[in-house]
Amino acid sequence: KQWYQRRVAITAGIRSHLLKQHPWTLPAYHHSTTSLKSLVISMAMLDGGLSAEEAIACAYLESDYQMDRWGEVEWGHTIDKARQSADVAAAVLLVNEIRSLDGGRLQAWS
């Protein structure tokens, strides 16, 4: 029962946070979440708690451990990281640009 109540509270908190964002930023949240494979890391990055580099490092913790232990797939991991860096940078740029428009006067969901 406690697990369910915590899950509902967390879901409500995330929903509330996303509803406070301008609708045009939601594709950036989706894109970065898909790329980083973590909504928590994505939200931390897009809300200023992590840099793009820190977010990518967090997202790659497990992968980096496995590469250190078993070795890297030639070119495969490098290409994946480059693609992820481009995706994350695009999301950050979009959110920052939208937030800077009209001096922050853009309205969230109404």
Side-chain angles (χ1 to χ4, degrees):
K1 187 174 179 172
Q2 281 182 331
W3 175 86
Y4 179 76
Q5 291 172 338
R6 281 188 293 219
R7 183 175 178 176
V8 168
I10 290 168
T11 302
I14 291 169
R15 184 177 191 274
S16 173
H17 176 75
L18 291 175
L19 285 173
K20 292 176 187 173
Q21 306 306 310
H22 189 278
W24 294 350
T25 64
L26 294 182
Y29 277 88
H30 176 266
H31 195 68
S32 62
T33 298
T34 301
S35 181
L36 295 169
K37 297 175 180 65
S38 170
L39 176 61
V40 173
I41 295 172
S42 179
M43 288 174 66
M45 178 189 66
L46 293 176
D47 296 335
L50 292 174
S51 69
E53 294 82 10
E54 291 169 330
I56 291 168
C58 289
Y60 263 91
L61 280 174
E62 173 65 18
S63 179
D64 288 344
Y65 171 78
Q66 294 296 334
M67 284 188 295
D68 288 345
R69 184 173 175 101
W70 303 107
E72 186 172 351
V73 175
E74 190 172 339
W75 295 102
H77 291 107
T78 304
I79 291 170
D80 288 344
K81 279 191 176 184
R83 185 180 313 120
Q84 186 178 47
S85 294
D87 290 347
V88 167
V92 170
L93 287 171
L94 177 63
V95 169
N96 288 343
E97 186 63 26
I98 290 169
R99 288 180 179 160
S100 72
L101 292 174
D102 293 330
R105 291 180 294 190
L106 292 173
Q107 296 295 314
W109 299 94
S110 51

